[in-house]
Amino acid sequence: MTTKITSARPAAGPRKGSRRRPPASSATTVGRPGFAWALPAAVFFALFAITPLIMVAVLSFMSWDGLGSPEFVGMDNWSRLMDDPVMLNSVWLTLLLTVLGVAIQTPLSIVLGVWAAGHQRNRAVLSVIYFIPLLLSATAVSVLWRALLDPNFGIPADAAWLFGDGNLFGEQATAIGVLAFVSTWQFTPFHTLIYQGAARAIPQVLYQAAEIDGAGRYRQFFHITLPQLRNAMITSMILMIVGGLTTFETVLILTQGGPGTDTTISAYYMYDKAFKSFDFGTGSAIALVLVIAATIISLVVVKVSGYDKMRSTMEGSS
Amino acid sequence: MKTRARLPRLVACGATLALTVTLAACGGGDGGASADDGKIHVLVYGDATNKVEKKLVDTFNKTSDVKVVLDTIPGADYQKKLQTIISTPQAPDVFFNWGGGSIKPFVKADLLLPLDGFIEKNPDLENKFLPSVFNNAVVDGKPYGVPMRGTQPVLLFHNKPVLADAGVEPPKTWDELLDAVEKLKDAGVTPIALGGGDIWPTQMWFQYLFDRIAGPELLANALKGDKSAWESADSKKALGVIKELVDAGAFGKNYDSVKYTNGGSVQLLASGKAGFELMGSWYYSQQLTDHKAFAEKGLGYSTFPTVKGGKGDPANTAGNTNNYYSVLKKTKHPEAVAEFLKLMYSDEFVKEQLAIGNLPTTTNTDKFIDTASNPEYARFQYDLVADAPSFQLSWDQAYPQKSSSDLHKAIQQFFNGQLDADGFIKAMQALPTE
């Protein structure tokens, strides 16, 4: 943007009078960002992301319990992992939780976000209340809900018609339900914020024109608001998918992967292998699977959604 | 978003812990000991007992030329931290552990100093401790640890008014317990409170029933690598008894959603919604904190019931025998360390531990037991432990740390019916024993 403006000026030609500095020089110093500009970020990324990633890859071919030096074992960790029913199951559980997260949180946060972008009475106060979960750490949220859902003294005890015997953490379906619910409770405010910002940026003239044409509020929502939120939706969904694939604390504190291995998602299984069973080789292999899977999924989403050639929907952009 | 925030932390943990961007498991960079500063570094589990340990270190430093430095690691991170530094130059000289399987891998890796040399020069380092406790830090016939905190046997606690209302006495035999379960069910309370969400409370039922029915030899053999121990008739009988108790509804239906660690099961007993809870001896102070009035008036305790025809001695007990100090082979000050360990049976040690509610397992504890905050309770436990022919270390501590996760899974799955007896036996046979 800025380069456009400065480079446009010399074209107007030098003006008379010396009130303005000669613009040509500033245009050349701004110039086009070279590779050097990216160096700090690139070094940082290489040091803090690429290097550990390579180490994890190397470690996944080794056997190491933290004592002594790692031993090279070839494909052992990998072949064991391929035959491990818990691993396969954990991949499905991870995908299920991610899909559940996207499916529940997206409609909720769109509705809340669009509402929060309006100018109703009490909106500001209510919005603040809705955003509170976002301020709490995932750990605190999980501890809180585990206590709130205690079958004898928590919510289930007072709502037996809904929860039955309250054994929410003792069965797979309900345990997964709790995990999806707690993530929704915690992360919907964040995505609401994205949609609120995006909804605020929709030009009012579109609504004014629609009103003149006689479109009602629902029609406006489906034909103006939703299409205009497309880019925000993609952003929010990618964040949800990445967040879903890397969910960890909620499982660690709420279910510990249980009952049995019924909620052992991949990220938790990696922790279980590495830091509870001290099998760092297998833990690294699971980590690598997660990294590769998350990268592929992100690439697919970017490609399919056209995020890579996303165009601005702002008023006046061409 | 998440990913980016975590990356720097990851690297701070260094290559050893570089697992992925999602792991927050390696917090707390503090507490590392440096080996060559001419001091003895003692690594301990960080909790309320640290104040006693600090006092003892101060006492020691007053007279010793070689000073001791106490490094505390927050409890939840302790085992991970220890495992990752013990074979590095940052390793401590002396460290806290749970005996049994928690030190076995270190012995195999030849990192620990057998203490028989110390004991030869000063037999008190063995004689001043209760044998059933001292023996839990013996690996392959050699002692590797000195008891350094309190013992925590598992007891069967009960709510006195609830039992009285249902016409139930604290059970002495298994049949009496089954009878009590029926009566409590009729009275409309959950017979036994269980924090199954934590899993280790469930494990306590396995520990005692296997010990009562098959005797301590079964687990000892299994830990030596004898896979057939789990297939034995005694093992199957114990599993049958557990199943019977669960199916009788002794624990209600939602025990897996209840936790001990968030106070759920504690409140269940205190509020009179349950009759019994099997728990470690720390339960009394937990109730005292959470429900003072109940702890003082309504909380009763007894030993685990006997089982007819069982091979185990009914006087056997189970639980956390104690914690231990073990010494690294590469320490530069073995003489000073030996002097430091002497403090673990000093009068000062015993008095300080009793004062904060811990029950030491030294032979001179007897002398000071009346100074405990609850002398009657302390006496009950001390006699129980002192008279026990065998003190079964909690299974997840007897097995090497790396087995504990799979062990817990098997226990929870058998208890809630996801695994049958054969499935449980297979899972136990698959656990690494060293």
Side-chain angles (χ1 to χ4, degrees), chain A residues 56 65 67 146 165 167-169 246 249 260 262 272 275 277-278 287, chain B residues 6 18-20 22-23 80 83 86 253-254 257 401-402 405 412 418:
Chain A
V56 165
D65 62 359
L67 304 172
R146 179 82 206 200
D165 56 18
N167 196 16
L168 293 176
F169 296 98
T246 57
E249 305 98 307
D262 282 355
D272 187 280
F275 288 101
S277 306
F278 295 113
Chain B
R6 297 248 165 86
L19 257 168
T20 64
T22 52
L23 268 191
K80 293 165 210 149
Q83 186 97 6
I86 195 161
K253 283 188 179 138
N254 52 26
S257 301
Q401 178 77 22
K402 62 180 168 191
S405 177
Q412 185 176 39
Q418 287 180 336

PDB file of all heavy atoms in Angstrom, chain A residues 56 65 67 146 165 167-169 246 249 260 262 272 275 277-278 287, chain B residues 6 18-20 22-23 80 83 86 253-254 257 401-402 405 412 418:
ATOM      1  N   VAL A  56      13.511 -34.280  15.889  1.00  0.00           N
ATOM      2  CA  VAL A  56      12.412 -35.207  16.144  1.00  0.00           C
ATOM      3  C   VAL A  56      12.410 -36.299  15.083  1.00  0.00           C
ATOM      4  O   VAL A  56      12.249 -37.483  15.386  1.00  0.00           O
ATOM      5  CB  VAL A  56      11.063 -34.451  16.159  1.00  0.00           C
ATOM      6  CG1 VAL A  56       9.906 -35.421  16.055  1.00  0.00           C
ATOM      7  CG2 VAL A  56      10.936 -33.636  17.431  1.00  0.00           C
ATOM      8  N   ASP A  65      15.286 -43.856  26.227  1.00  0.00           N
ATOM      9  CA  ASP A  65      14.403 -43.649  27.375  1.00  0.00           C
ATOM     10  C   ASP A  65      14.879 -42.485  28.232  1.00  0.00           C
ATOM     11  O   ASP A  65      14.468 -42.337  29.366  1.00  0.00           O
ATOM     12  CB  ASP A  65      14.279 -44.924  28.209  1.00  0.00           C
ATOM     13  CG  ASP A  65      15.611 -45.364  28.784  1.00  0.00           C
ATOM     14  OD1 ASP A  65      16.616 -44.682  28.520  1.00  0.00           O
ATOM     15  OD2 ASP A  65      15.660 -46.371  29.499  1.00  0.00           O
ATOM     16  N   LEU A  67      17.821 -42.132  29.411  1.00  0.00           N
ATOM     17  CA  LEU A  67      19.059 -42.541  30.071  1.00  0.00           C
ATOM     18  C   LEU A  67      20.050 -42.964  29.003  1.00  0.00           C
ATOM     19  O   LEU A  67      19.678 -43.608  28.040  1.00  0.00           O
ATOM     20  CB  LEU A  67      18.814 -43.733  31.000  1.00  0.00           C
ATOM     21  CG  LEU A  67      17.757 -43.546  32.072  1.00  0.00           C
ATOM     22  CD1 LEU A  67      17.499 -44.859  32.781  1.00  0.00           C
ATOM     23  CD2 LEU A  67      18.191 -42.485  33.057  1.00  0.00           C
ATOM     24  N   ARG A 146     -14.069 -30.147  34.882  1.00  0.00           N
ATOM     25  CA  ARG A 146     -14.016 -31.466  35.500  1.00  0.00           C
ATOM     26  C   ARG A 146     -14.753 -31.420  36.848  1.00  0.00           C
ATOM     27  O   ARG A 146     -15.490 -32.322  37.215  1.00  0.00           O
ATOM     28  CB  ARG A 146     -12.561 -31.903  35.684  1.00  0.00           C
ATOM     29  CG  ARG A 146     -12.377 -33.257  36.332  1.00  0.00           C
ATOM     30  CD  ARG A 146     -12.531 -34.412  35.350  1.00  0.00           C
ATOM     31  NE  ARG A 146     -12.952 -35.622  36.043  1.00  0.00           N
ATOM     32  CZ  ARG A 146     -12.805 -36.862  35.572  1.00  0.00           C
ATOM     33  NH1 ARG A 146     -12.260 -37.058  34.403  1.00  0.00           N
ATOM     34  NH2 ARG A 146     -13.229 -37.889  36.248  1.00  0.00           N
ATOM     35  N   ASP A 165     -27.082 -41.253  35.164  1.00  0.00           N
ATOM     36  CA  ASP A 165     -26.262 -41.469  36.359  1.00  0.00           C
ATOM     37  C   ASP A 165     -25.024 -40.572  36.375  1.00  0.00           C
ATOM     38  O   ASP A 165     -24.205 -40.655  37.281  1.00  0.00           O
ATOM     39  CB  ASP A 165     -25.884 -42.946  36.509  1.00  0.00           C
ATOM     40  CG  ASP A 165     -25.167 -43.465  35.276  1.00  0.00           C
ATOM     41  OD1 ASP A 165     -24.665 -42.652  34.485  1.00  0.00           O
ATOM     42  OD2 ASP A 165     -25.100 -44.695  35.110  1.00  0.00           O
ATOM     43  N   ASN A 167     -22.376 -40.460  34.501  1.00  0.00           N
ATOM     44  CA  ASN A 167     -21.066 -41.054  34.254  1.00  0.00           C
ATOM     45  C   ASN A 167     -20.455 -40.516  32.959  1.00  0.00           C
ATOM     46  O   ASN A 167     -20.104 -41.259  32.051  1.00  0.00           O
ATOM     47  CB  ASN A 167     -21.218 -42.579  34.196  1.00  0.00           C
ATOM     48  CG  ASN A 167     -19.890 -43.282  34.324  1.00  0.00           C
ATOM     49  OD1 ASN A 167     -18.904 -42.672  34.739  1.00  0.00           O
ATOM     50  ND2 ASN A 167     -19.848 -44.547  33.952  1.00  0.00           N
ATOM     51  N   LEU A 168     -20.322 -39.184  32.889  1.00  0.00           N
ATOM     52  CA  LEU A 168     -19.898 -38.545  31.648  1.00  0.00           C
ATOM     53  C   LEU A 168     -18.495 -38.946  31.216  1.00  0.00           C
ATOM     54  O   LEU A 168     -18.196 -39.037  30.041  1.00  0.00           O
ATOM     55  CB  LEU A 168     -19.954 -37.021  31.804  1.00  0.00           C
ATOM     56  CG  LEU A 168     -21.351 -36.431  31.975  1.00  0.00           C
ATOM     57  CD1 LEU A 168     -21.267 -34.939  32.222  1.00  0.00           C
ATOM     58  CD2 LEU A 168     -22.189 -36.690  30.744  1.00  0.00           C
ATOM     59  N   PHE A 169     -17.611 -39.188  32.196  1.00  0.00           N
ATOM     60  CA  PHE A 169     -16.225 -39.498  31.849  1.00  0.00           C
ATOM     61  C   PHE A 169     -15.984 -41.001  31.782  1.00  0.00           C
ATOM     62  O   PHE A 169     -14.876 -41.443  31.562  1.00  0.00           O
ATOM     63  CB  PHE A 169     -15.271 -38.861  32.862  1.00  0.00           C
ATOM     64  CG  PHE A 169     -15.323 -37.362  32.849  1.00  0.00           C
ATOM     65  CD1 PHE A 169     -16.078 -36.674  33.783  1.00  0.00           C
ATOM     66  CD2 PHE A 169     -14.634 -36.648  31.890  1.00  0.00           C
ATOM     67  CE1 PHE A 169     -16.133 -35.292  33.761  1.00  0.00           C
ATOM     68  CE2 PHE A 169     -14.690 -35.263  31.865  1.00  0.00           C
ATOM     69  CZ  PHE A 169     -15.444 -34.584  32.800  1.00  0.00           C
ATOM     70  N   THR A 246      -3.981 -30.157  17.383  1.00  0.00           N
ATOM     71  CA  THR A 246      -2.973 -30.061  18.436  1.00  0.00           C
ATOM     72  C   THR A 246      -3.599 -29.965  19.824  1.00  0.00           C
ATOM     73  O   THR A 246      -2.905 -29.666  20.778  1.00  0.00           O
ATOM     74  CB  THR A 246      -2.062 -28.832  18.216  1.00  0.00           C
ATOM     75  OG1 THR A 246      -2.902 -27.673  18.164  1.00  0.00           O
ATOM     76  CG2 THR A 246      -1.283 -28.936  16.943  1.00  0.00           C
ATOM     77  N   GLU A 249      -4.130 -30.115  26.220  1.00  0.00           N
ATOM     78  CA  GLU A 249      -4.361 -29.880  27.648  1.00  0.00           C
ATOM     79  C   GLU A 249      -5.738 -30.343  28.090  1.00  0.00           C
ATOM     80  O   GLU A 249      -5.880 -30.922  29.169  1.00  0.00           O
ATOM     81  CB  GLU A 249      -4.226 -28.389  28.007  1.00  0.00           C
ATOM     82  CG  GLU A 249      -2.939 -27.735  27.615  1.00  0.00           C
ATOM     83  CD  GLU A 249      -3.102 -26.982  26.324  1.00  0.00           C
ATOM     84  OE1 GLU A 249      -3.584 -27.619  25.349  1.00  0.00           O
ATOM     85  OE2 GLU A 249      -2.767 -25.798  26.266  1.00  0.00           O
ATOM     86  N   GLY A 260     -10.003 -46.007  29.628  1.00  0.00           N
ATOM     87  CA  GLY A 260      -9.099 -46.842  28.842  1.00  0.00           C
ATOM     88  C   GLY A 260      -8.351 -45.980  27.855  1.00  0.00           C
ATOM     89  O   GLY A 260      -7.631 -45.068  28.260  1.00  0.00           O
ATOM     90  N   ASP A 262     -10.168 -44.554  25.247  1.00  0.00           N
ATOM     91  CA  ASP A 262     -11.304 -44.094  24.447  1.00  0.00           C
ATOM     92  C   ASP A 262     -11.200 -42.648  23.979  1.00  0.00           C
ATOM     93  O   ASP A 262     -11.876 -42.250  23.034  1.00  0.00           O
ATOM     94  CB  ASP A 262     -12.608 -44.268  25.238  1.00  0.00           C
ATOM     95  CG  ASP A 262     -13.067 -45.717  25.222  1.00  0.00           C
ATOM     96  OD1 ASP A 262     -12.422 -46.521  24.532  1.00  0.00           O
ATOM     97  OD2 ASP A 262     -14.055 -46.051  25.896  1.00  0.00           O
ATOM     98  N   ASP A 272       1.867 -39.459  26.172  1.00  0.00           N
ATOM     99  CA  ASP A 272       1.830 -40.702  26.930  1.00  0.00           C
ATOM    100  C   ASP A 272       3.077 -41.545  26.656  1.00  0.00           C
ATOM    101  O   ASP A 272       3.740 -42.028  27.568  1.00  0.00           O
ATOM    102  CB  ASP A 272       0.559 -41.456  26.515  1.00  0.00           C
ATOM    103  CG  ASP A 272       0.315 -42.687  27.354  1.00  0.00           C
ATOM    104  OD1 ASP A 272       0.949 -43.731  27.100  1.00  0.00           O
ATOM    105  OD2 ASP A 272      -0.513 -42.602  28.265  1.00  0.00           O
ATOM    106  N   PHE A 275       6.471 -39.048  27.627  1.00  0.00           N
ATOM    107  CA  PHE A 275       6.730 -38.541  28.970  1.00  0.00           C
ATOM    108  C   PHE A 275       6.146 -39.399  30.080  1.00  0.00           C
ATOM    109  O   PHE A 275       6.407 -39.157  31.250  1.00  0.00           O
ATOM    110  CB  PHE A 275       6.236 -37.105  29.099  1.00  0.00           C
ATOM    111  CG  PHE A 275       7.099 -36.149  28.342  1.00  0.00           C
ATOM    112  CD1 PHE A 275       6.716 -35.679  27.110  1.00  0.00           C
ATOM    113  CD2 PHE A 275       8.323 -35.751  28.857  1.00  0.00           C
ATOM    114  CE1 PHE A 275       7.519 -34.820  26.398  1.00  0.00           C
ATOM    115  CE2 PHE A 275       9.132 -34.893  28.161  1.00  0.00           C
ATOM    116  CZ  PHE A 275       8.732 -34.418  26.925  1.00  0.00           C
ATOM    117  N   SER A 277       5.702 -43.087  29.375  1.00  0.00           N
ATOM    118  CA  SER A 277       6.367 -44.374  29.161  1.00  0.00           C
ATOM    119  C   SER A 277       7.848 -44.206  28.831  1.00  0.00           C
ATOM    120  O   SER A 277       8.560 -45.175  28.644  1.00  0.00           O
ATOM    121  CB  SER A 277       5.685 -45.134  28.025  1.00  0.00           C
ATOM    122  OG  SER A 277       4.310 -45.258  28.278  1.00  0.00           O
ATOM    123  N   PHE A 278       8.321 -42.966  28.731  1.00  0.00           N
ATOM    124  CA  PHE A 278       9.718 -42.658  28.417  1.00  0.00           C
ATOM    125  C   PHE A 278      10.220 -43.388  27.178  1.00  0.00           C
ATOM    126  O   PHE A 278      11.334 -43.879  27.138  1.00  0.00           O
ATOM    127  CB  PHE A 278      10.623 -42.934  29.615  1.00  0.00           C
ATOM    128  CG  PHE A 278      10.310 -42.026  30.770  1.00  0.00           C
ATOM    129  CD1 PHE A 278       9.778 -42.533  31.936  1.00  0.00           C
ATOM    130  CD2 PHE A 278      10.513 -40.664  30.669  1.00  0.00           C
ATOM    131  CE1 PHE A 278       9.460 -41.687  32.987  1.00  0.00           C
ATOM    132  CE2 PHE A 278      10.199 -39.822  31.719  1.00  0.00           C
ATOM    133  CZ  PHE A 278       9.668 -40.335  32.881  1.00  0.00           C
ATOM    134  N   ALA A 287       4.787 -37.624  16.872  1.00  0.00           N
ATOM    135  CA  ALA A 287       4.877 -36.184  16.661  1.00  0.00           C
ATOM    136  C   ALA A 287       5.040 -35.864  15.185  1.00  0.00           C
ATOM    137  O   ALA A 287       4.406 -34.950  14.650  1.00  0.00           O
ATOM    138  CB  ALA A 287       6.054 -35.622  17.454  1.00  0.00           C
TER     139      ALA A 287
ATOM    140  N   ARG B   6       4.140 -21.640  21.296  1.00  0.00           N
ATOM    141  CA  ARG B   6       4.822 -22.700  22.022  1.00  0.00           C
ATOM    142  C   ARG B   6       6.244 -22.943  21.566  1.00  0.00           C
ATOM    143  O   ARG B   6       7.040 -23.532  22.258  1.00  0.00           O
ATOM    144  CB  ARG B   6       4.043 -24.001  21.837  1.00  0.00           C
ATOM    145  CG  ARG B   6       2.694 -23.881  22.424  1.00  0.00           C
ATOM    146  CD  ARG B   6       2.557 -24.759  23.626  1.00  0.00           C
ATOM    147  NE  ARG B   6       1.378 -24.353  24.356  1.00  0.00           N
ATOM    148  CZ  ARG B   6       0.178 -24.808  24.071  1.00  0.00           C
ATOM    149  NH1 ARG B   6       0.029 -25.725  23.167  1.00  0.00           N
ATOM    150  NH2 ARG B   6      -0.841 -24.380  24.750  1.00  0.00           N
ATOM    151  N   ALA B  18      12.855 -32.020  22.684  1.00  0.00           N
ATOM    152  CA  ALA B  18      12.265 -31.429  21.482  1.00  0.00           C
ATOM    153  C   ALA B  18      11.304 -32.402  20.857  1.00  0.00           C
ATOM    154  O   ALA B  18      11.667 -33.189  20.018  1.00  0.00           O
ATOM    155  CB  ALA B  18      13.368 -31.067  20.499  1.00  0.00           C
ATOM    156  N   LEU B  19      10.102 -32.410  21.283  1.00  0.00           N
ATOM    157  CA  LEU B  19       9.185 -33.407  20.742  1.00  0.00           C
ATOM    158  C   LEU B  19       8.288 -32.852  19.678  1.00  0.00           C
ATOM    159  O   LEU B  19       8.298 -33.286  18.556  1.00  0.00           O
ATOM    160  CB  LEU B  19       8.396 -34.032  21.869  1.00  0.00           C
ATOM    161  CG  LEU B  19       9.013 -35.385  22.126  1.00  0.00           C
ATOM    162  CD1 LEU B  19       8.516 -35.976  23.393  1.00  0.00           C
ATOM    163  CD2 LEU B  19       8.759 -36.316  20.972  1.00  0.00           C
ATOM    164  N   THR B  20       7.465 -31.906  20.018  1.00  0.00           N
ATOM    165  CA  THR B  20       6.723 -31.226  18.964  1.00  0.00           C
ATOM    166  C   THR B  20       6.260 -29.900  19.480  1.00  0.00           C
ATOM    167  O   THR B  20       6.417 -29.567  20.644  1.00  0.00           O
ATOM    168  CB  THR B  20       5.417 -31.924  18.552  1.00  0.00           C
ATOM    169  OG1 THR B  20       4.588 -31.889  19.664  1.00  0.00           O
ATOM    170  CG2 THR B  20       5.606 -33.265  18.005  1.00  0.00           C
ATOM    171  N   THR B  22       3.415 -29.055  20.079  1.00  0.00           N
ATOM    172  CA  THR B  22       2.213 -29.077  20.898  1.00  0.00           C
ATOM    173  C   THR B  22       2.474 -29.384  22.352  1.00  0.00           C
ATOM    174  O   THR B  22       1.581 -29.275  23.170  1.00  0.00           O
ATOM    175  CB  THR B  22       1.230 -30.131  20.395  1.00  0.00           C
ATOM    176  OG1 THR B  22       1.943 -31.340  20.306  1.00  0.00           O
ATOM    177  CG2 THR B  22       0.662 -29.748  19.074  1.00  0.00           C
ATOM    178  N   LEU B  23       3.674 -29.800  22.682  1.00  0.00           N
ATOM    179  CA  LEU B  23       3.904 -30.251  24.042  1.00  0.00           C
ATOM    180  C   LEU B  23       4.254 -29.105  24.974  1.00  0.00           C
ATOM    181  O   LEU B  23       5.192 -28.378  24.744  1.00  0.00           O
ATOM    182  CB  LEU B  23       5.052 -31.249  24.057  1.00  0.00           C
ATOM    183  CG  LEU B  23       4.583 -32.681  23.923  1.00  0.00           C
ATOM    184  CD1 LEU B  23       5.741 -33.593  24.206  1.00  0.00           C
ATOM    185  CD2 LEU B  23       3.473 -32.963  24.900  1.00  0.00           C
ATOM    186  N   LYS B  80       9.784 -36.583  35.240  1.00  0.00           N
ATOM    187  CA  LYS B  80      10.264 -36.232  33.897  1.00  0.00           C
ATOM    188  C   LYS B  80      11.617 -35.540  33.975  1.00  0.00           C
ATOM    189  O   LYS B  80      12.534 -35.828  33.222  1.00  0.00           O
ATOM    190  CB  LYS B  80       9.270 -35.289  33.206  1.00  0.00           C
ATOM    191  CG  LYS B  80       7.954 -35.943  32.902  1.00  0.00           C
ATOM    192  CD  LYS B  80       6.901 -34.894  32.576  1.00  0.00           C
ATOM    193  CE  LYS B  80       5.550 -35.378  32.989  1.00  0.00           C
ATOM    194  NZ  LYS B  80       4.651 -34.319  33.383  1.00  0.00           N
ATOM    195  N   GLN B  83      14.399 -38.041  35.004  1.00  0.00           N
ATOM    196  CA  GLN B  83      14.756 -38.951  33.924  1.00  0.00           C
ATOM    197  C   GLN B  83      15.634 -38.261  32.884  1.00  0.00           C
ATOM    198  O   GLN B  83      16.514 -38.876  32.318  1.00  0.00           O
ATOM    199  CB  GLN B  83      13.471 -39.468  33.265  1.00  0.00           C
ATOM    200  CG  GLN B  83      13.693 -40.535  32.210  1.00  0.00           C
ATOM    201  CD  GLN B  83      13.494 -41.932  32.756  1.00  0.00           C
ATOM    202  OE1 GLN B  83      13.084 -42.102  33.895  1.00  0.00           O
ATOM    203  NE2 GLN B  83      13.799 -42.939  31.963  1.00  0.00           N
ATOM    204  N   ILE B  86      19.358 -37.245  34.781  1.00  0.00           N
ATOM    205  CA  ILE B  86      20.145 -38.136  35.635  1.00  0.00           C
ATOM    206  C   ILE B  86      21.397 -38.664  34.951  1.00  0.00           C
ATOM    207  O   ILE B  86      22.391 -38.969  35.605  1.00  0.00           O
ATOM    208  CB  ILE B  86      19.278 -39.283  36.201  1.00  0.00           C
ATOM    209  CG1 ILE B  86      20.006 -39.966  37.346  1.00  0.00           C
ATOM    210  CG2 ILE B  86      18.898 -40.267  35.108  1.00  0.00           C
ATOM    211  CD1 ILE B  86      19.127 -40.769  38.245  1.00  0.00           C
ATOM    212  N   LYS B 253     -22.325 -46.509  39.771  1.00  0.00           N
ATOM    213  CA  LYS B 253     -22.117 -46.659  38.323  1.00  0.00           C
ATOM    214  C   LYS B 253     -21.183 -45.601  37.756  1.00  0.00           C
ATOM    215  O   LYS B 253     -20.622 -45.774  36.693  1.00  0.00           O
ATOM    216  CB  LYS B 253     -23.468 -46.556  37.605  1.00  0.00           C
ATOM    217  CG  LYS B 253     -24.280 -47.822  37.724  1.00  0.00           C
ATOM    218  CD  LYS B 253     -25.508 -47.732  36.840  1.00  0.00           C
ATOM    219  CE  LYS B 253     -26.327 -48.999  36.916  1.00  0.00           C
ATOM    220  NZ  LYS B 253     -27.757 -48.695  36.992  1.00  0.00           N
ATOM    221  N   ASN B 254     -21.044 -44.492  38.467  1.00  0.00           N
ATOM    222  CA  ASN B 254     -20.323 -43.377  37.827  1.00  0.00           C
ATOM    223  C   ASN B 254     -18.946 -43.125  38.437  1.00  0.00           C
ATOM    224  O   ASN B 254     -18.417 -42.033  38.358  1.00  0.00           O
ATOM    225  CB  ASN B 254     -21.174 -42.105  37.889  1.00  0.00           C
ATOM    226  CG  ASN B 254     -21.662 -41.809  39.292  1.00  0.00           C
ATOM    227  OD1 ASN B 254     -21.008 -42.222  40.257  1.00  0.00           O
ATOM    228  ND2 ASN B 254     -22.778 -41.115  39.424  1.00  0.00           N
ATOM    229  N   SER B 257     -16.190 -41.208  36.627  1.00  0.00           N
ATOM    230  CA  SER B 257     -16.321 -39.755  36.473  1.00  0.00           C
ATOM    231  C   SER B 257     -15.971 -39.018  37.762  1.00  0.00           C
ATOM    232  O   SER B 257     -15.917 -37.801  37.786  1.00  0.00           O
ATOM    233  CB  SER B 257     -17.750 -39.391  36.063  1.00  0.00           C
ATOM    234  OG  SER B 257     -18.076 -40.015  34.852  1.00  0.00           O
ATOM    235  N   GLN B 401       8.693 -47.014  35.894  1.00  0.00           N
ATOM    236  CA  GLN B 401       7.864 -45.876  35.521  1.00  0.00           C
ATOM    237  C   GLN B 401       7.257 -46.027  34.132  1.00  0.00           C
ATOM    238  O   GLN B 401       6.108 -45.681  33.888  1.00  0.00           O
ATOM    239  CB  GLN B 401       8.722 -44.612  35.590  1.00  0.00           C
ATOM    240  CG  GLN B 401       8.020 -43.344  35.193  1.00  0.00           C
ATOM    241  CD  GLN B 401       7.110 -42.835  36.283  1.00  0.00           C
ATOM    242  OE1 GLN B 401       7.285 -43.179  37.454  1.00  0.00           O
ATOM    243  NE2 GLN B 401       6.126 -42.032  35.910  1.00  0.00           N
ATOM    244  N   LYS B 402       8.018 -46.598  33.212  1.00  0.00           N
ATOM    245  CA  LYS B 402       7.539 -46.642  31.822  1.00  0.00           C
ATOM    246  C   LYS B 402       6.347 -47.574  31.649  1.00  0.00           C
ATOM    247  O   LYS B 402       5.670 -47.519  30.627  1.00  0.00           O
ATOM    248  CB  LYS B 402       8.676 -47.020  30.870  1.00  0.00           C
ATOM    249  CG  LYS B 402       9.271 -48.384  31.099  1.00  0.00           C
ATOM    250  CD  LYS B 402      10.378 -48.625  30.077  1.00  0.00           C
ATOM    251  CE  LYS B 402      11.200 -49.842  30.447  1.00  0.00           C
ATOM    252  NZ  LYS B 402      12.411 -49.940  29.649  1.00  0.00           N
ATOM    253  N   SER B 405       1.706 -46.208  32.654  1.00  0.00           N
ATOM    254  CA  SER B 405       0.583 -45.759  31.835  1.00  0.00           C
ATOM    255  C   SER B 405      -0.254 -46.947  31.343  1.00  0.00           C
ATOM    256  O   SER B 405      -1.475 -46.952  31.459  1.00  0.00           O
ATOM    257  CB  SER B 405       1.133 -44.954  30.658  1.00  0.00           C
ATOM    258  OG  SER B 405       0.093 -44.568  29.826  1.00  0.00           O
ATOM    259  N   GLN B 412      -8.111 -49.786  34.746  1.00  0.00           N
ATOM    260  CA  GLN B 412      -9.381 -49.102  34.520  1.00  0.00           C
ATOM    261  C   GLN B 412     -10.287 -49.908  33.594  1.00  0.00           C
ATOM    262  O   GLN B 412     -11.485 -50.035  33.830  1.00  0.00           O
ATOM    263  CB  GLN B 412      -9.134 -47.714  33.909  1.00  0.00           C
ATOM    264  CG  GLN B 412     -10.424 -46.917  33.771  1.00  0.00           C
ATOM    265  CD  GLN B 412     -10.176 -45.509  33.266  1.00  0.00           C
ATOM    266  OE1 GLN B 412      -9.346 -45.282  32.406  1.00  0.00           O
ATOM    267  NE2 GLN B 412     -10.902 -44.551  33.809  1.00  0.00           N
ATOM    268  N   GLN B 418     -14.358 -52.991  30.074  1.00  0.00           N
ATOM    269  CA  GLN B 418     -13.869 -52.923  28.697  1.00  0.00           C
ATOM    270  C   GLN B 418     -12.934 -54.092  28.382  1.00  0.00           C
ATOM    271  O   GLN B 418     -12.747 -54.450  27.229  1.00  0.00           O
ATOM    272  CB  GLN B 418     -13.141 -51.602  28.457  1.00  0.00           C
ATOM    273  CG  GLN B 418     -14.087 -50.412  28.357  1.00  0.00           C
ATOM    274  CD  GLN B 418     -13.343 -49.111  28.125  1.00  0.00           C
ATOM    275  OE1 GLN B 418     -12.175 -48.982  28.455  1.00  0.00           O
ATOM    276  NE2 GLN B 418     -14.030 -48.132  27.568  1.00  0.00           N
TER     277      GLN B 418
END
